[in-house]
Amino acid sequence: MAAAALLSAPILIAATDRTVDAERTGALATTGLALLGVGLPIVSSLLAQIDWASATALRYGVMPSRPETRLREPKTLVRPLAYSVVMLTLGGAIAVSGLLVVVGSMVALFSPYLALTGDTAVIGPITVTTVVQSLVAAIVGAVLLSLLVWASPLLARAHVRLVQQVLTRPEQWLRHDLTATEQSRARLVRSFDVERRRIERDLHDAVQPQLLSVSMTLGLALAAIPEGVPGRDDIVRAQQQARKTLDDLRRVVRNIHPQVLIDHGLGSAVREIGDNFSIPVMVDDRLVPRLPADVETNLYFCVSELLSNVVKHSAATRADVILHRPTPNQVRICVHDNGCGGAGARSREYGGLSGISDRLASLDGTLTVDSPFGGPTCITVAIPNTRMV
């Protein structure tokens, strides 16, 4: 309000001072309009930035990006100017009213002292002269101050909503909500990865040793029982079943989160996948340095699913996997096979490629399928490389 009054001072002088001649009046009005035209956008921009920062602090940072104002782009000044008009009118009325309530209440609180000393207290149109009147005025002043303190958080919240409504463009809130959703989704994926590792560790450190102990105990029992003794064949079968269960458990543990992925990275883990298939899988790993653990885990399961699809559906005789960075800001994985093609032509909901797309969505990644009927097939996974270790 002070800045607006200072900028419009020449206009006020020209409008109220009757001793100024016509030429000076025109000059003052022109100067005032020029000051308002240049200074008001600057003041409005500063006011918008300051109040935006205050509203963000009250909302604990849950606000879209800060409003950008550029003097060369008039459209960016519309919202700050509108906000300044609201603050000069409605905000000014509230501020002046609150100031009058505070001053009047403070005078009312001190009115008993003034009445006892023989003085009078003037509170607006009311004059307090007696002790009884001063006590009533002090009680009313205390109540008004208490109400003002109680209403202050409500006024602050209303101010925050005003900032949001006037200064925020709709696309800013949409972008903010999308960013929050992406961050939440990434946190969920990371939490799933942590839980997966915990399950893998529990199975590896607790269940596997127990099954191994059972198998060794059965072996010792077999060594102590001679051939031909009734019941020995049952122990043999029990030991074989324990070994088979242990092998199955190791395979499950390896599929949950392979140790080679933790120790040696994505390229080595993909090579281990290829060694388990019936067709040759060539892996070209150019990812240096390594990616973050959660990114490696998601890409590992994507490649595992793609190679499984190659073996199950493509009738290919070989497959190639290329892991590289075409640009510093992107990671790309290409899975190529010489099979019959047609990948994704009969894609079903919740199918393999849909699951891969869901995994990549948490990393802002994309899945590109190039698979004409008759082959060959090339499926490309690309993610932005925003973090490295």
Side-chain angles (χ1 to χ4, degrees), residues 230-267:
R232 192 176 189 278
D233 294 338
D234 294 333
I235 298 178
V236 171
R237 284 193 298 271
Q239 186 186 35
Q240 292 174 350
Q241 185 64 36
R243 289 176 179 174
K244 183 177 182 301
T245 303
L246 184 59
D247 292 339
D248 292 341
L249 180 61
R250 285 171 177 167
R251 185 165 56 253
V252 170
V253 170
R254 186 165 58 247
N255 290 332
I256 290 176
H257 201 284
Q259 187 64 33
V260 66
L261 179 63
I262 301 174
D263 296 337
H264 302 290
L266 183 60

Side-chain angles (χ1 to χ4, degrees), residues 27 52 112 156 171 182 216 289 342 361 386-387:
W52 186 269
E171 58 269 21
E182 291 175 356
M216 293 177 62
T386 56
R387 296 174 296 150

